[in-house]
Amino acid sequence: MKKIAAAILSLCIILTFSATAFAQTTDSGGTTVISTVVPDSHTITIVADGAEVSLDGTPGTNFTVDRLSEHTLTFKAGNGKEIKKILLNDEDITNKITDGKYILEGVYEDISITVITQNDGNNPNSPLTGDKSNTWLWFVILFAAGTAALCTKSYGRQKSNKY
Amino acid sequence: MKKFIALTLVSALALTASITAFAATITQDTSDPKTTDTVITTSIKPTYTVTIPADVKVVFNAETTSFGQIKVDSAQIEPDKCIKVSLTTDGKLKNTSDKTKVIPYTVKSGENTFTSATYLATGEYTDLTLNITKADWNKAYAGDYEDTVTFEVSYENKA
């Protein structure tokens, strides 16, 4: 009898057992890492046709310098040339050149220097064509041809008046 | 011993017993109909999954870098609640060799600095960008820089 009672009680416990369901509030998230690398050196590339460029007194076209280091660029035009324009990463720095020198204060990126030159004495606004012929000769020929044409016409008119 | 077991079982039964809710019975014995209300209640736990940005490496000299997005992948939330995602950051990338050398940055959503956002439904998202000014890049010393930001996701009352 007792066993039956215990079995019934056990069965009742099992049947009536309830598990409490809590609302799940998730207060979570996560972390994210942001990173970057700042280089310890930069390159200076020089394109100068008709001029010589030196970095701290050393001529050349490609240099590697420490980041945030200071340097002096010296510009010297070649024979028969003069410097027309100097570009630093496409920025015109011609007016910032003093006595042919430019100070790079704290290099913080790769630099490209472009030096544009022109022949001495030429009008900087005239494009070079490569035609070296004397233009005055063509004017002399033109004048002579015009004179000859007028003379021929005048001679023909006088001749026709005689008849 | 048996009495003790029986007593324990009875106590357990008493503690875990639940009251059965019977359906309301309407007895119509007159021409006047009777009505009664039955309240049915249930509880569905709120669930949501939010994606936060992964680790990102900023390219040197990049002024704007995509930081991915915060996106609600799934959300079953109560009508008066919302999912809030907050960003905690000091806004400085620290040099791994010298913590005094830093590069300031901002996390933006569009044109505005991002601090937090709330979401109500699946599919809602916020695009984020990392912004470092040209001036700050130019002043930065060489080296590796890093910072850890924390996204906190919480379930809150709708504002």
Side-chain angles (χ1 to χ4, degrees):
Chain A
M1 183 62 188
K2 289 178 181 174
K3 286 182 180 177
I4 294 170
I8 291 170
L9 282 170
S10 300
L11 189 63
C12 288
I13 290 170
I14 293 167
L15 290 174
T16 59
F17 180 79
S18 62
T20 306
F22 292 102
Q24 197 174 63
T25 51
T26 307
D27 293 327
S28 61
T31 59
T32 302
V33 176
I34 305 166
S35 61
T36 189
V37 177
V38 177
D40 57 7
S41 64
H42 296 286
T43 59
I44 299 176
T45 305
I46 294 165
V47 178
D49 186 20
E52 183 184 272
V53 181
S54 302
L55 181 81
D56 300 329
T58 306
T61 55
N62 287 290
F63 301 94
T64 300
V65 298
D66 289 341
R67 179 173 173 79
L68 302 182
S69 57
E70 185 176 304
H71 301 276
T72 302
L73 286 167
T74 306
F75 301 90
K76 185 180 178 185
N79 289 335
K81 299 281 187 178
E82 63 181 8
I83 293 172
K84 181 183 177 185
K85 189 184 285 186
I86 298 174
L87 303 174
L88 190 155
N89 288 350
D90 296 328
E91 179 197 354
D92 190 345
I93 60 165
T94 312
N95 294 332
K96 298 176 183 174
I97 307 295
T98 307
D99 297 331
K101 295 183 187 299
Y102 180 79
I103 307 295
L104 289 170
E105 294 176 349
V107 178
Y108 53 78
E109 61 185 343
D110 291 346
I111 290 174
S112 173
I113 301 284
T114 304
V115 181
I116 300 168
T117 61
Q118 64 187 14
N119 293 328
D120 275 343
N122 283 352
N123 182 351
N125 295 324
S126 301
L128 297 175
T129 62
D131 185 359
K132 305 291 184 185
S133 58
N134 294 319
T135 51
W136 62 267
L137 182 62
W138 293 104
F139 285 106
V140 170
I141 293 170
L142 180 66
F143 179 75
T147 305
L150 287 172
C151 289
T152 305
K153 191 175 181 182
S154 175
Y155 176 74
R157 193 173 294 163
Q158 287 175 1
K159 198 174 181 181
S160 63
N161 287 341
K162 287 182 181 178
Y163 298 102
Chain B
M1 183 61 186
K2 288 175 183 174
K3 285 183 180 177
F4 177 72
I5 293 170
L7 189 63
T8 304
L9 286 168
V10 169
S11 301
L13 180 62
L15 289 171
T16 59
S18 59
I19 300 166
T20 306
F22 293 101
T25 303
I26 302 169
T27 306
Q28 188 172 350
D29 55 356
T30 65
S31 58
D32 183 23
K34 296 284 191 299
T35 61
T36 186
D37 295 328
T38 302
V39 178
I40 303 170
T41 60
T42 186
S43 177
I44 300 172
K45 61 182 179 181
T47 60
Y48 50 86
T49 309
V50 179
T51 299
I52 61 172
D55 294 353
V56 65
K57 189 167 187 174
V58 179
V59 175
F60 172 65
N61 262 352
E63 293 179 59
T64 303
T65 302
S66 173
F67 194 20
Q69 60 181 200
I70 298 167
K71 186 178 181 185
V72 178
D73 295 319
S74 64
Q76 284 184 298
I77 61 175
E78 294 157 279
D80 58 340
K81 300 279 187 177
C82 67
I83 302 163
K84 184 177 182 180
V85 180
S86 304
L87 172 67
T88 304
T89 173
D90 64 358
K92 291 173 183 171
L93 289 168
K94 271 84 77 182
N95 190 302
T96 53
S97 302
D98 182 353
K99 302 289 183 192
T100 63
K101 294 182 171 69
V102 298
I103 303 175
Y105 70 91
T106 52
V107 178
K108 287 187 176 180
S109 169
E111 294 298 317
N112 303 316
T113 300
F114 178 85
T115 53
S116 67
T118 55
Y119 307 93
L120 300 172
T122 300
E124 292 184 343
Y125 65 92
T126 302
D127 287 321
L128 300 176
T129 57
L130 284 167
N131 298 268
I132 300 174
T133 66
K134 182 72 176 160
D136 287 328
W137 275 123
N138 294 350
K139 289 185 288 187
Y141 289 87
D144 296 334
Y145 289 78
E146 201 173 273
D147 189 36
T148 301
V149 300
T150 303
F151 289 94
E152 185 185 359
V153 181
S154 55
Y155 188 62
E156 298 190 357
N157 290 323
K158 202 189 291 183

